[in-house]
């Protein structure tokens, strides 16, 4: 449910590289919010931090993530994944799929070295996460080297860490989706990983270049087309809730850095577009 664009990228993943993903800055008379769209999983050797983000972090009063980036939150997410990501005993994932989709799933799991005995126990949304993570790992993408982990460690201790959602709230987004939607997006992801194994590398390249059109097609375009309900659930409705916190912050004073998945900053439903529509001064890509 989080996905996947542009340039030949053998060099991107073969050697250290310099990237320049975009930054948005929102200002009023006495406050400033810097918005940065993250990649949750990145190649370890990618030098991606824009100077504007470093400068903003050095002066920030608070740093916001989607969910807390601490050990307690990690443990809670693991507990919740076990509670909500597994099928009841005796049930299997492939029994919920059509024969052709089940065969495609088995073939992909074998290619990614993920045991089917593990996949069979997972609900569709968790199986999608597991397979996507395995595919990223094969392309040298590591969760520990994602944007949030690095910024959590790099931000000065004085910067207060905050989050828009709790682990329980975020897990409910996945676990609460209908099984039909879960199966639909699982099948779409399996087809993509099967037919286009280079999609992750192109996604990283588009993000690195700040290619907004390619990012919008890759990150939210597919979801918007294949499952409008999930697009509303994961992007539109969450952005609307997060806007309440951003407007409250702008009503006060100080400097804030916001780091959320890149999909939340793209297109007419993205946070920058929503803030511009309300009349705020927003510098950055349109």
């Amino acid at each position: 449910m989080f996905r996947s664009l542009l340039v030949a990228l053998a060099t991107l993943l073969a050697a250290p590289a310099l990237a320049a993903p975009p930054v948005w800055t929102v200002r009023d008379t006495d406050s400033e919010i810097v918005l940065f769209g993250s990649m949750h999983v990145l190649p370890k050797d990618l030098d991606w931090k824009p100077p504007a983000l470093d400068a903003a972090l050095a002066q920030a009063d608070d740093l916001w993530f989607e969910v807390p980036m601490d050990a307690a939150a990690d443990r809670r997410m693991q507990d919740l994944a076990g509670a909500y990501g597994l099928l009841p005993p005796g049930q299997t994932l492939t029994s919920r799929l059509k024969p052709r989709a089940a065969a495609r799933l088995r073939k992909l799991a074998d290619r990614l070295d993920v045991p089917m005995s593990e996949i069979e126990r997972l609900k569709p949304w968790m199986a999608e996460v597991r397979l996507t993570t395995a595919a990223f790992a094969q392309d040298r993408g590591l969760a520990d080297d994602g944007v949030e982990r690095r910024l959590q460690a790099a931000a000065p201790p004085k910067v207060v860490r905050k989050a828009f959602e709790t682990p329980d709230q975020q897990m409910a987004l996945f676990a609460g989706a209908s099984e039909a939607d879960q199966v639909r997006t699982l099948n779409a992801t399996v087809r993509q990983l099967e037919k286009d194994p280079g999609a992750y590398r192109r996604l990283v390249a588009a993000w690195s270049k700040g290619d907004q059109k390619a990012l919008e097609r890759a990150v939210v375009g597919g979801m918007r087309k294949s499952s409008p309900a999930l697009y509303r659930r994961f992007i539109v409705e969450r952005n609307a809730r997060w806007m309440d916190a951003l407007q409250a912050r702008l009503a006060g004073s100080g400097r804030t850095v916001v780091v959320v998945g890149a999909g939340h900053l793209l297109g007419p439903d993205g946070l920058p577009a929503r803030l511009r529509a309300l009349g705020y001064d927003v510098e950055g890509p349109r």
Side-chain angles (χ1 to χ4, degrees):
M1 298 180 193
F2 321 96
R3 29 315 207 155
S4 4
L5 243 174
L6 211 340
V7 301
L9 349 206
T11 54
L12 174 66
L13 295 180
L18 179 64
V23 171
W24 289 260
T25 304
V26 189
R27 293 187 179 91
D28 64 11
T29 55
D30 58 356
S31 54
E32 175 183 282
I33 295 179
V34 170
L35 301 168
F36 186 72
S38 83
M39 288 281 290
H40 301 311
V41 178
L42 282 174
K44 191 171 186 176
D45 53 8
L46 182 66
D47 182 8
W48 53 264
K49 268 202 293 182
L53 181 60
D54 276 333
L57 281 172
Q59 302 177 62
D61 299 303
D62 47 341
L63 169 62
W64 289 69
F65 298 114
E66 292 183 30
V67 292
M69 288 287 120
D70 55 32
D74 288 345
R75 288 193 297 271
R76 182 60 180 163
M77 289 293 280
Q78 291 172 3
D79 291 343
L80 291 168
Y84 294 108
L86 299 179
L87 291 169
Q91 298 186 22
T92 62
L93 175 60
T94 53
S95 68
R96 288 160 160 76
L97 307 178
K98 293 181 179 180
R100 184 174 295 181
R104 192 180 292 122
L105 176 70
R106 292 188 186 97
K107 183 177 179 181
L108 178 65
D110 182 65
R111 196 190 89 202
L112 296 176
D113 294 322
V114 179
M116 270 305 296
S117 58
E118 176 186 341
I119 293 295
E120 285 284 26
R121 300 177 58 235
L122 304 179
K123 291 183 179 178
W125 72 266
M126 180 61 89
E128 182 180 358
V129 171
R130 178 69 180 90
L131 292 168
T132 303
T133 301
F136 289 170
Q138 283 196 349
D139 254 336
R140 294 171 60 195
L142 304 173
D144 286 346
D145 283 301
V147 166
E148 290 88 349
R149 296 292 177 192
R150 293 198 207 177
L151 295 183
Q152 169 77 358
K158 71 177 179 67
V159 178
V160 179
R161 275 69 165 173
K162 297 188 176 184
F164 291 106
E165 298 168 348
T166 67
D168 294 68
Q169 288 170 329
Q170 189 165 97
M171 190 60 67
L173 288 166
F174 295 97
S178 72
E179 185 169 286
D181 277 333
Q182 291 183 39
V183 167
R184 189 177 298 113
T185 60
L186 170 62
N187 288 338
T189 295
V190 169
R191 286 193 297 270
Q192 181 188 48
L193 292 173
E194 177 185 53
K195 296 179 180 179
D196 191 8
Y200 167 70
R201 285 173 286 169
R202 293 199 306 280
L203 175 61
V204 172
W207 177 79
S208 300
K209 291 170 56 180
D211 189 331
Q212 298 300 104
K213 291 183 178 179
L215 272 176
E216 187 173 359
R217 287 196 304 271
V219 178
V220 296
M223 187 192 303
R224 203 161 40 204
K225 181 178 179 180
S226 66
S227 184
L230 286 182
Y231 175 73
R232 286 194 301 273
R233 183 182 184 87
F234 281 91
I235 301 295
V236 178
E237 294 173 2
R238 293 169 79 198
N239 282 1
R241 290 194 294 270
W242 298 354
M243 281 291 294
D244 292 339
L246 295 182
Q247 288 182 267
R249 193 68 186 87
L250 287 163
S253 62
R255 297 175 181 270
T256 297
V257 174
V258 172
V259 180
V260 294
H264 293 282
L265 306 183
L266 302 171
D269 296 313
L271 297 176
R274 286 172 177 266
L275 288 162
R276 284 189 177 112
L278 291 174
Y280 290 102
D281 176 20
V282 182
E283 296 178 8
R286 290 184 175 269

